[in-house]
Amino acid sequence: MTEMEYFKPERGQRPGANEDPRLDWWRAAKFGMFIHWGVYSIPAGVWKGEHIPGIGEWIMLRAEIPIPEYEKLAPQFNPVKYDAEQIVKLAKQAGQKYIVLTSKHHDGFCMFGSEETDYNIVDATPYGRDILKDLADACAREGIKLGLYYSQTQDWHHPDGFGNTWDFNESEQDFGDYIDNYVKPQVREILTNYGPICLIWFDTPRIIERHQSQELLNLVHSIQPDCLVCGRLGNKLGDYATAQDNAIPPDLQAEIDWETPATINDTWGFKTHDHNWKSTTQLIQNLVDIVSKGGNYLLNIGPDAQGAIPEPSVERLQAMGAWLDVHGESIYGTEPGPIQGEADYRTTQKGDSVYLHVFDWPASGRLVLPELDVKSTTWLDARVDAPLSVNCAGDSTTILGPAAAPNEHVTVIKLT
Ligand code: FHN
């Protein structure tokens, strides 16, 4: 894949990227939690007894479920196990520095109390509580930043939204009216009623025109000037670039601010049939890989219809947090390191220190790097009690360590 394919068509590059101080916290944060949650967690990938392939939150489109039928999910939605505090604490435990919740996904159901439609968590469900409000309060209490996903083009429930070809005739739809009289008022609501929102995560900018993207960007910044907007706003607008789902560019992307949104299994919204969980090692290596190339990792959880977080997600996030507790210095607030393009290791840097992350520890215990001016080497994990030496000679730097990897996921050596 070429670099452009990773960011196409939603590349958010703009003049001044990498310099806008509004992004400083985001650049330092590196790791966030995505939450895809809505009434699609009830069918969880199964409709009328049939397993519907694909990602769970797309079930309405994939099975072409008529609106009156899909609407019947809302009166069944009663996520009594939802515990905003627990989700926020899990994010913190995992080392994730910001949370992004789907306030409205493509199915049009709103996870917040809205004056613009009754098709929302407060008015249409027996649960009756504003899920977003509870999350915003928990984030404020726990001191973690909250961002919101909002599907600005696709809305399969709104008569003028994009994407529902089985209930509506596209030629009779007025997309401009939907943007002006539904999307904009709702964006105003989510930016007005829930305290500081660190970013708005727009998505799938399929038919949105440039002036519409620009107006949304202006609207967001007029209400909360510090609120960032992701590159999927469309028309190359936004504060940072968004890579394709689960895609990590092969090379350093130093000239832009960018993020990879990613799943722990293969779906965003909860699915009973998806057990294809990535290993903890894979997830930690993805985080390191992304950070070493200058990006952020936005890793998803999909709570079930009760509001419970799938246990495999919890286990993996906690294990990532345990690794980050010891190795966070080599991740948070770092820059891409001086050595790029190697298969078995990645580098980041901060001040005088270069952090060498070894993915595949050599049985010889010998790591040969390009020339570096190294004064000292230490294990970043102070508990590691194995010999470590460095020899800078000629045009290479040789590090000698033990035969077995000191860390089961990624070993980090600090070079000063
Ligand atoms: O269609 C959506 C999908 O459901 C999910 O929200 C992802 C997250 O990046 N974005 C779109 C596909 O790229």
Side-chain angles (χ1 to χ4, degrees):
M1 255 194 260
T2 66
E3 182 268 341
M4 272 312 282
E5 281 173 274
Y6 282 91
F7 297 105
K8 208 172 69 178
E10 304 97 354
R11 191 179 167 99
Q13 186 177 10
R14 60 177 200 159
N18 278 338
E19 284 160 21
D20 186 342
R22 293 180 314 122
L23 278 84
D24 284 351
W25 71 266
W26 183 87
R27 287 184 197 114
K30 309 294 184 196
F31 189 27
M33 172 185 274
F34 219 167
I35 308 174
H36 275 69
W37 195 28
V39 294
Y40 41 77
S41 60
I42 299 174
V46 179
W47 196 251
K48 295 187 173 163
E50 195 191 329
H51 175 216
I52 309 297
I55 42 185
E57 70 283 6
W58 274 68
I59 192 166
M60 181 177 177
L61 181 138
R62 294 269 182 258
E64 299 204 341
I65 305 171
I67 290 174
E69 266 191 66
Y70 192 84
E71 275 179 342
K72 288 185 187 144
L73 293 172
Q76 299 169 47
F77 195 53
N78 193 17
V80 290
K81 291 190 184 157
Y82 171 58
D83 181 345
E85 195 80 30
Q86 188 200 0
I87 293 182
V88 173
K89 285 190 167 143
L90 175 64
K92 287 179 79 173
Q93 230 184 336
Q96 294 170 308
K97 304 295 186 190
Y98 56 107
I99 294 177
V100 182
L101 171 74
T102 46
S103 63
K104 183 190 80 149
H105 205 269
H106 310 330
D107 66 352
F109 183 77
C110 301
M111 295 292 272
F112 62 101
S114 176
E115 295 292 313
E116 302 301 320
T117 177
D118 286 344
Y119 197 47
N120 74 69
I121 185 71
V122 178
D123 296 315
T125 73
Y127 187 66
R129 284 183 68 88
D130 189 329
I131 274 170
L132 171 50
K133 176 87 175 67
D134 287 341
L135 187 65
D137 290 347
C139 285
R141 274 195 305 276
E142 293 290 330
I144 192 163
K145 288 180 183 290
L146 175 65
L148 295 173
Y149 176 107
Y150 184 91
S151 178
Q152 81 281 26
T153 54
Q154 297 203 70
D155 189 319
W156 307 325
H157 183 264
H158 194 286
D160 292 313
F162 177 72
N164 183 338
T165 52
W166 57 99
D167 288 308
F168 301 118
N169 183 343
E170 206 184 321
S171 64
E172 291 166 10
Q173 289 185 295
D174 187 343
F175 182 71
D177 190 61
Y178 156 77
I179 291 280
D180 287 339
N181 296 315
Y182 191 68
V183 171
K184 288 179 186 170
Q186 282 207 321
V187 168
R188 185 174 287 283
E189 285 185 318
I190 57 178
L191 284 169
T192 307
N193 299 338
Y194 300 96
I197 299 300
C198 68
L199 60 88
I200 298 282
W201 220 95
F202 291 115
D203 203 2
T204 61
R206 304 238 168 115
I207 58 165
I208 193 164
E209 292 179 16
R210 187 177 167 91
H211 74 95
Q212 292 166 325
S213 296
Q214 185 68 60
E215 286 161 17
L216 282 176
L217 186 66
N218 296 347
L219 177 66
V220 171
H221 290 159
S222 73
I223 304 170
Q224 295 204 25
D226 290 337
C227 180
L228 307 179
V229 173
C230 89
R232 292 196 190 170
L233 169 62
N235 298 294
K236 300 190 177 178
L237 292 170
D239 292 311
Y240 62 87
T242 310
Q244 305 281 9
D245 297 348
N246 287 304
I248 304 178
D251 313 308
L252 173 68
Q253 301 293 327
E255 77 290 358
I256 55 170
D257 293 301
W258 63 275
E259 176 184 65
T260 291
T263 50
I264 297 186
N265 48 356
D266 290 331
T267 184
W268 304 87
F270 178 72
K271 270 188 91 169
T272 43
H273 284 64
D274 187 338
H275 305 295
N276 194 22
W277 303 100
K278 296 173 186 75
S279 69
T280 299
T281 299
Q282 185 63 60
L283 296 167
I284 292 174
Q285 293 191 354
N286 287 351
L287 171 67
V288 171
D289 191 16
I290 288 168
V291 172
S292 77
K293 292 166 182 166
N296 278 21
Y297 193 32
L298 185 63
L299 189 59
N300 183 70
I301 58 166
D304 68 15
Q306 302 264 294
I309 307 162
E311 203 45 44
S313 297
V314 174
E315 285 164 12
R316 283 157 178 77
L317 288 173
Q318 286 174 339
M320 292 181 83
W323 185 87
L324 279 163
D325 274 348
V326 178
H327 302 96
E329 180 186 326
S330 72
I331 299 294
Y332 304 117
T334 60
E335 306 282 334
I339 308 172
Q340 297 283 333
E342 295 290 336
D344 299 334
Y345 56 86
R346 302 288 183 277
T347 57
T348 59
Q349 61 186 335
K350 194 169 7 183
D352 282 347
S353 300
V354 169
Y355 301 94
L356 177 70
H357 302 77
V358 186
F359 287 4
D360 194 8
W361 190 268
S364 63
R366 219 176 128 84
L367 296 156
V368 182
L369 315 178
E371 185 181 2
L372 287 173
D373 182 16
V374 183
K375 300 273 182 294
S376 72
T377 48
T378 48
W379 302 111
L380 190 53
D381 181 350
R383 298 166 307 183
V384 177
D385 183 22
L388 182 66
S389 63
V390 63
N391 180 20
C392 304
D395 55 6
S396 68
T397 306
T398 305
I399 291 176
L400 207 56
N407 187 282
E408 62 174 314
H409 305 301
V410 175
T411 299
V412 186
I413 299 170
K414 182 173 176 178
L415 313 170
T416 307

